[in-house]
Amino acid sequence: MKLFAFFLVFPFILSLATACDRCVHKSKAAAFSSSSSLSAGACGYGSLALNFNGGFVAAANSEIFRDGVGCGSCFQIRCRNRELCNRAGVKVVVTDLNKSNTTDFGLGVRAFAALARPGMADGLKRLVITDVEHKRIPCEYPNKNLSIRVEESSRRPNLLTVKLMYQGGQTDIVAVDVARVGSAAWQFMTRSYGPVWTTSRAPGGPLQFRFVVTGGYDGKWVWAQQAVLPPEWRSGEVYDAGVQITDIAQEGCSPCDTQEWR
Ligand SMILES: *[C@@H]1O[C@H](CO)[C@@H](O)[C@H](O)[C@H]1NC(C)=O
Ligand SMILES: *[C@@H]1O[C@H](CO)[C@@H](O)[C@H](O)[C@H]1NC(C)=O
Ligand SMILES: *[C@@H]1O[C@H](CO)[C@@H](O)[C@H](O)[C@H]1NC(C)=O
């Protein structure tokens, strides 16, 4: 209940500041060869990341990665060299951390090439690092709900570790609770890393989940009121959470970019 009180106060403060869902930031991007870093990605998506967003994935600096909270967030990035680059740029999903302090994003080779104007990809690749601007955008998975992958370290009935996938919208998931369907005894889960949450006190199934999503100044519960995991849930399986997140959190910045990059 405390959470609700906290969240209700903030929209008022926000309306006084410059609320913006598309703050543009100047940054730098580098190309990396995707094969090595995908399966080792700090968000732990492994090869599943190839299903995200057509495989357009990025390694973000620690400010964007935010100890893993930024895993699965989406950005539109375009480069600032008008001669070599198109104006729409590329939409990427964060799947990894880049510890380098010289770039903000490491882009897979395909995503990096997609920054270029027709015929200019080779010229762009020669730059290796390029000046870009980026803004956070909602993630869109038209044919997917938020999904829950049961991790291999889980042991029925009580040890449950899940990885959240296909997180839509433009928010952060800051809390995850699990309960037996129909029960009000919610058990909180703890973030292990990135999109992975765990509890050693999972109730017996069937199980339902609720999520607190927030970002910037606002937040709310997202709640699937139905069975997500069956009583006999299995490691390695991906279960549909029965909801998708479409909310867009605000940041404070000025000026706010109201244009579509195309
Ligand atoms: C960047 O990282 C290198 C090595 O980790 C360090 O020596 C350097 O001071 C850092 N530069 C900045 C601007 O933080
Ligand atoms: C991280 O950044 C460095 C330098 O900016 C770049 O060379 C490297 O390929 C990047 N790595 C990843 C995984 O993005
Ligand atoms: C998402 O969940 C809803 C509610 O359970 C369901 O009706 C819908 O078919 C699901 N969508 C997808 C794409 O699986």
Side-chain angles (χ1 to χ4, degrees):
M1 280 299 119
K2 269 196 188 119
L3 279 176
F4 278 115
F6 172 80
F7 290 138
L8 286 175
V9 171
F10 275 77
F12 294 104
I13 297 172
L14 180 66
S15 58
L16 302 175
T18 33
C20 178
D21 58 11
R22 301 289 166 97
C23 295
V24 177
H25 305 275
K26 297 219 174 358
S27 51
K28 288 182 190 294
F32 68 87
S33 60
S34 50
S35 45
S36 56
S37 101
L38 269 181
S39 50
C43 296
Y45 295 123
S47 57
L48 291 168
L50 289 170
N51 299 331
F52 296 174
N53 198 35
F56 280 176
V57 295
N61 68 9
S62 54
E63 205 177 309
I64 294 164
F65 186 78
R66 290 178 292 137
D67 283 333
V69 177
C71 286
S73 59
C74 295
F75 291 86
Q76 189 167 7
I77 299 173
R78 67 179 181 186
C79 102
R80 290 159 64 203
N81 183 323
R82 294 259 180 156
E83 195 189 319
L84 294 177
C85 297
N86 64 58
R87 304 309 296 146
V90 66
K91 297 177 176 178
V92 298
V93 182
V94 172
T95 59
D96 199 1
L97 167 67
N98 190 337
K99 294 202 186 83
S100 153
N101 56 10
T102 56
T103 53
D104 306 277
F105 288 99
L107 301 180
V109 167
R110 279 179 56 227
F112 194 76
L115 296 173
R117 289 168 55 159
M120 296 296 183
D122 286 341
L124 181 61
K125 268 186 226 155
R126 249 173 261 130
L127 293 183
V128 185
I129 293 181
T130 184
D131 287 318
V132 297
E133 52 191 359
H134 73 264
K135 58 184 174 184
R136 191 162 174 194
I137 56 168
C139 299
E140 285 169 10
Y141 297 103
N143 302 312
K144 298 273 188 206
N145 283 329
L146 179 66
S147 298
I148 291 178
R149 182 184 187 280
V150 177
E151 298 288 273
E152 279 73 6
S153 56
S154 301
R155 292 287 172 271
R156 266 200 330 257
N158 300 125
L159 180 56
L160 177 62
T161 302
V162 300
K163 181 184 290 162
L164 304 183
M165 295 168 48
Y166 310 120
Q167 176 187 342
Q170 184 180 335
T171 66
D172 301 328
I173 294 177
V174 294
V176 180
D177 293 342
V178 60
R180 187 186 177 89
V181 172
S183 155
W186 290 98
Q187 171 62 43
F188 69 87
M189 303 185 80
T190 315
R191 191 191 296 275
S192 298
Y193 67 91
V196 176
W197 296 75
T198 191
T199 177
S200 56
R201 303 176 62 184
L207 297 176
Q208 58 180 349
F209 291 82
R210 66 181 184 184
F211 310 91
V212 175
V213 302
T214 184
Y217 301 91
D218 208 353
K220 70 172 204 185
W221 290 107
V222 173
W223 186 352
Q225 315 228 358
Q226 71 208 49
V228 173
L229 298 196
E232 309 277 288
W233 50 262
R234 292 215 309 264
S235 306
E237 293 274 314
V238 178
Y239 298 92
D240 184 321
V243 284
Q244 185 50 285
I245 302 167
T246 54
D247 301 82
I248 294 179
Q250 309 278 303
E251 301 173 59
C253 66
S254 178
C256 190
D257 183 55
T258 52
Q259 316 240 299
E260 284 286 319
W261 292 355
R262 57 173 101 233

